[in-house]
Amino acid sequence: MTIRFTKMQGAGNDFVVLDGTREPFALSPAQIRRLCDRHFGVGADQLLLVERSTRDEADFRYRIFNADGGEVEHCGNGARCFVKFVRDAGLTDKTTIVVEVMQGLITLTMRADGQVSVDMGAPVFAPPQVPFDQTGLTPRRDNDDDVWPLALDSGTVEVSVLSMGNPHAVQIVASAEQAPVAQTGPEIERHRRFPARVNAGFLEIVDRHTARLRVFERGAGETLACGTGACAAAVAGIRRGVLDSPVAVHTHGGVLTIAWDGRADPQASVLMTGPAVTVFAGEIDIV
């Protein structure tokens, strides 16, 4: 079949975006893998699908598929690209839209300066809801956060565990550049303590409002940026008392600004602001 697509990126996290409001979505996991393949397809970290919402209070439905073909709950960088896509495609003229995702609703706003702000909702810390199996483990209390020991082949690391609509394990490292992302990222991603797998974040504190981050993403490997990962890292740093809101999170692909008033209200929403760029549009035959 011939697929019409738009290639987009947000801070280097890149996507193939499909309009499912005009054409039915009928790709298999194998076809998604082919489409996201950087040698045989368009190349992307994730495939994003725009569909008509099933809920009256939402403007669109937003679905995300990782490069391995599996559908996942959330993607912050993709959400920013989503709002730019639907506006550029003439699907809406709103500057603020509400979209339906697997875990509920999120609000996206296109700003006058071209940046996009996303209300990512409140973080979730209860281990069963992440999900994280804490059976037999005792966390270390670090200010407002529980830091969990995670046994790896190379030794034990301490991680903050939370969900931003998808699961994250964030560890603070001395240097993000020198962190063993390629070695321990895959092990953390598939650790038995995370039954739905997990995004592994490696967070370096620069100062109280600045951090560096690398993320080994579930189903995609290390990406140039991870929106939910930046949110999770900032939240973990704020809870652990080493960061203050707002936080400029520097990734290999660019800077994301994360604001969270969690010290006053742990149920406060996380606000992420960053770029969204259209790279090109085209057609591709997929078998």
Side-chain angles (χ1 to χ4, degrees), residues 260-281:
W260 184 57
D261 193 22
R263 286 189 176 145
D265 177 12
Q267 295 305 309
S269 289
V270 180
L271 185 67
M272 175 186 63
T273 301
V277 177
T278 299
V279 182
F280 62 88

Side-chain angles (χ1 to χ4, degrees), residues 83 87 92-97 108-112 116-117:
V83 67
R87 282 175 51 82
T92 184
D93 59 0
K94 295 181 179 179
T95 55
T96 296
I97 64 171
L108 322 175
T109 301
M110 175 68 76
R111 304 191 333 180
V116 180
S117 294

Side-chain angles (χ1 to χ4, degrees), residues 219-251:
E222 185 179 2
T223 55
L224 291 178
C226 175
T228 56
C231 294
V235 167
I238 292 168
R239 278 168 57 89
R240 293 178 70 168
V242 293
L243 289 173
D244 294 317
S245 179
V247 182
V249 180
H250 292 253
T251 71

Side-chain angles (χ1 to χ4, degrees), residues 135-154:
T135 305
L137 297 181
T138 301
R140 177 177 66 84
R141 193 68 178 172
D142 187 0
N143 283 284
D144 296 329
D145 198 21
D146 285 330
V147 183
W148 296 89
L150 197 66
L152 306 178
D153 290 342
S154 57

